[in-house]
Amino acid sequence: MLIGNHLTSSKGYLAMGKMAVSLDANTFAFFTRNPRGGKAKEIDPKDVEKFLEYSKEYSFGKLVAHAPYTMNLCAAKEDVRNFSREMIADDLKRMEFTPGNYYNFHPGSHVGQGAEAGIEMIAEVLNEVLTEEQSTIVLLETMAGKGSEVGRNFEELRRILDKVRLQEKMGVCFDTCHVWDAGYDIVNHLDEVLEEFDHIIGLDRLCAVHFNDSMNECGSHKDRHAKIGEGCIGLEAMRRVATHPLLAGKPFILETPNDDEGYKREIALVRSWG
């Protein structure tokens, strides 16, 4: 199984790889830059070269990079949209230092403009920045639906995808906390939720899983992550997600409120499920 957690990129790729191995992970996620900030740290090509060798030695799966939370492709303010457009364009260039991985982002918040306007803006930027040459697959993340978030249901993600020209460069990251908070009952109806995802988006688009329990009840639209088995989704339902045959081989990324020892325990727990 491919299992890992979020690591900090400030120490470089090789350091992140070694930290992942110390936690018994074989994939990981990292923010492309400060999650609350703008400018990205300069990439050291020698560090990347060493990491790529290291990742082969330890049989790493695909990495799941995460755009900063400040990136909003459908912001109401033009300067924020322009800043976000420059950010994703730069990030996709940087991703080619570690080719063939995933770049995940929150679709954005329309801030009162309406979901349809937000969908149009998001797709417009994606059509500007995606290139045929890139090896990175860009993932839209399923969202909990708080505030004016776009991507609160599978249909909104589908509408974004339908407007993107380079379809082969796009996928979806399935966040267990978010879909639960959005109203998809993965505790009692996991098979039906995955069937609905397949019908609306297509399971061939489901590239990665953010594996988180939730502090809130189904349909709360709040997005509060909990440790595995300590939230409203619960241990048994999380186990069923992790071992579901339709999700086999996908990178599972823990975003639970943990320290390193906590992540190590959760990775061991998930591995024990086989």
Side-chain angles (χ1 to χ4, degrees), residues 92 126-132 134 138 164 166 169-170:
L92 290 180
L126 289 170
N127 283 326
E128 289 179 14
V129 301
L130 296 179
T131 66
E132 293 182 357
Q134 73 181 61
V138 175
V164 177
L166 295 178
K169 305 299 182 183
M170 295 296 301

Side-chain angles (χ1 to χ4, degrees), residues 205-253:
R205 297 272 194 187
L206 202 167
C207 297
V209 177
H210 281 173
F211 196 57
N212 311 299
D213 210 324
S214 173
M215 293 183 182
N216 297 293
E217 297 294 339
C218 186
S220 65
H221 303 294
K222 289 184 178 179
D223 185 10
R224 296 286 304 280
H225 296 195
K227 296 177 183 179
I228 305 303
E230 296 185 15
C232 293
I233 298 175
L235 191 63
E236 178 55 26
M238 296 300 289
R239 184 193 67 79
R240 289 197 298 271
V241 173
T243 59
H244 199 287
L246 292 178
L247 301 177
K250 312 291 185 187
F252 276 63
I253 302 297

Side-chain angles (χ1 to χ4, degrees), residues 35-107:
R36 303 291 178 186
K39 188 173 181 181
K41 179 185 176 184
E42 187 174 346
I43 293 176
D44 179 356
K46 291 184 179 179
D47 174 62
V48 174
E49 184 179 352
K50 291 177 182 178
F51 165 72
L52 292 175
E53 293 174 359
Y54 188 82
S55 65
K56 288 180 181 178
E57 180 182 353
Y58 286 93
S59 302
F60 276 41
K62 288 185 180 293
L63 309 183
V64 188
H66 201 305
Y69 297 131
T70 49
M71 193 177 87
N72 185 4
L73 303 185
C74 60
K77 295 181 179 179
E78 186 176 0
D79 60 333
V80 176
R81 289 201 307 275
N82 290 337
F83 173 74
S84 299
R85 182 185 292 107
E86 293 169 3
M87 191 183 296
I88 189 173
D90 183 50
D91 277 353
L92 290 180
K93 291 177 183 176
R94 293 163 60 84
M95 287 296 296
E96 293 305 306
F97 279 88
T98 52
N101 289 304
Y102 297 135
Y103 177 80
N104 174 77
F105 76 103
H106 294 182

Side-chain angles (χ1 to χ4, degrees), residues 74 115-125 127 159-160 163:
C74 60
E116 289 307 315
I119 287 167
E120 289 286 346
M121 292 177 185
I122 295 162
E124 178 184 347
V125 175
N127 283 326
R159 291 204 291 277
I160 297 171
K163 295 176 182 296

